[in-house]
Amino acid sequence: MRNVQATLADQLPGRIVATSNEYPSHHRIARHKHRRSQLLYAAHGIMVVGTETGRWIVPPERAAWVPSGMAHDVHVLAQISTRSIYIEPEVSAALPRDCRVIGVSPLMRQLLLETLDLPLQSESGSGSRPDLIYSLIVHEIERAPVLPLDIPFPADPRLTKRCRAYLAHPSPHDSIDDWCADLAMSRRTFTRRFRAETGTSFAQWCRQAAIFAALPRLAAGEAITALALDLGYESASAFTTMFKRLIGMPPSRYLAVSNPMREVAVPMRGTMRGLDG
């Protein structure tokens, strides 16, 4: 279905509902939640999904999974075309229970594109083509690989506040000792707590945070070399290596994706604008 706002999607009948939207660069969708779980697929373009516990980058041809009832917001970094699948929790106990970015198989990608003009599931009988497509999508979500495209936030409110401030303005001059002094923690306590609550080291977290901060600056046209040095990388090649490892493409490819005028846009069968995710 096209041009369906999130609040209205919750009211649509059926255990599974599919919608499709397009958003311009820099569009923001305020924090909200759905009764159903949501698969938010980026056919092309790049977005960031945020919750109280972290942020997730969703590159082209990847998808974010948001469990039912989880409040989240969306920041579109580059003009994006999405497909959303809303699934009642009781459809499958094997569906993920945490927010994540997942890989999208060629089969699931084609199934998601096919949902654009499907009728509501409640309007098609069991065993019908729409019912089979939705069932296959659910199976593909269950087996989809989790991609390491998240910036987790600690549970400790003081640590979370410090992390959010760094993510907004990452600095190569910040050190672990600076954070320890700000938070009145010993280095040992800080290191142990940070890893326990984020699942990663302080240094690795800062490197990933810098990449997150770089995305809108790259899309705005900043030079890769200058940006890399500003974020504390020794060279553009070191920045490119980390960028590709996290995003799945080099900065040059990201620049092409974030500016549709630099490459041929993916043809779409319909346009939907100004909708909630």
Side-chain angles (χ1 to χ4, degrees):
M1 296 186 66
R2 309 179 189 185
N3 202 22
V4 177
Q5 295 184 0
T7 52
L8 296 180
D10 271 0
Q11 300 171 20
L12 292 172
R15 298 187 306 159
I16 304 175
V17 174
T19 64
S20 176
N21 300 290
E22 285 192 5
Y23 302 108
S25 298
H26 313 304
H27 183 74
R28 290 181 181 271
I29 301 171
R31 188 150 293 188
H32 62 287
K33 57 185 177 182
H34 309 292
R35 187 186 80 244
R36 300 175 177 91
S37 297
Q38 180 187 15
L39 180 80
L40 180 57
Y41 168 68
H44 66 79
I46 298 175
M47 60 187 162
V48 174
V49 174
T51 73
E52 285 299 318
T53 60
R55 294 185 184 180
W56 289 259
I57 297 177
V58 188
E61 299 187 352
R62 312 297 196 278
W65 173 260
V66 183
S68 63
M70 178 173 285
H72 61 286
D73 51 64
V74 180
H75 178 198
V76 177
L77 299 180
Q79 182 178 353
I80 196 166
S81 176
T82 69
R83 302 289 184 273
S84 284
I85 307 295
Y86 300 94
I87 305 172
E88 295 284 4
E90 64 268 18
V91 166
S92 170
L95 289 170
R97 298 184 179 182
D98 58 338
C99 194
R100 57 179 62 180
V101 175
I102 63 173
V104 176
S105 68
L107 172 59
M108 180 155 65
R109 183 177 303 117
Q110 191 58 46
L111 291 169
L112 290 169
L113 295 178
E114 287 295 321
T115 64
L116 182 61
D117 295 312
L118 288 181
L120 288 171
Q121 190 187 35
S122 60
E123 296 174 354
S124 55
S126 176
S128 65
R129 181 173 181 271
D131 186 62
L132 293 174
I133 288 175
Y134 289 133
S135 296
L136 277 173
I137 288 174
V138 171
H139 285 300
E140 287 296 292
I141 295 171
E142 292 171 352
R143 64 187 294 274
V146 181
L147 304 179
L149 297 172
D150 63 309
I151 292 288
F153 292 149
D156 185 307
R158 292 189 306 151
L159 276 176
T160 294
K161 183 178 179 180
R162 189 67 174 82
C163 286
R164 290 183 183 276
Y166 184 87
L167 191 58
H169 302 286
S171 169
H173 306 297
D174 268 23
S175 69
I176 191 171
D177 292 327
D178 293 328
W179 283 49
C180 291
D182 290 345
L183 298 166
M185 289 185 185
S186 69
R187 187 184 181 99
R188 181 179 179 183
T189 298
F190 174 86
T191 301
R192 183 176 65 249
R193 184 175 297 179
F194 194 92
R195 182 177 285 278
E197 296 192 12
T198 65
T200 188
S201 70
F202 173 75
Q204 177 65 19
W205 188 94
C206 287
R207 284 193 291 269
Q208 292 188 200
I211 295 297
F212 267 68
L215 293 174
R217 295 174 62 180
L218 279 172
E222 289 195 36
I224 294 174
T225 299
L227 182 56
L229 296 177
D230 185 45
L231 293 173
Y233 286 85
E234 295 181 357
S235 65
S237 61
F239 172 78
T240 296
T241 298
M242 177 58 68
F243 191 98
K244 187 175 181 180
R245 184 183 306 165
L246 181 64
I247 306 301
M249 65 181 73
S252 56
R253 171 62 179 163
Y254 169 79
L255 286 171
V257 171
S258 63
N259 187 343
M261 296 303 293
R262 297 181 186 177
E263 66 174 10
V264 177
V266 177
M268 303 302 299
R269 291 182 289 174
T271 299
M272 304 186 306
R273 298 183 179 275
L275 309 178
D276 291 338

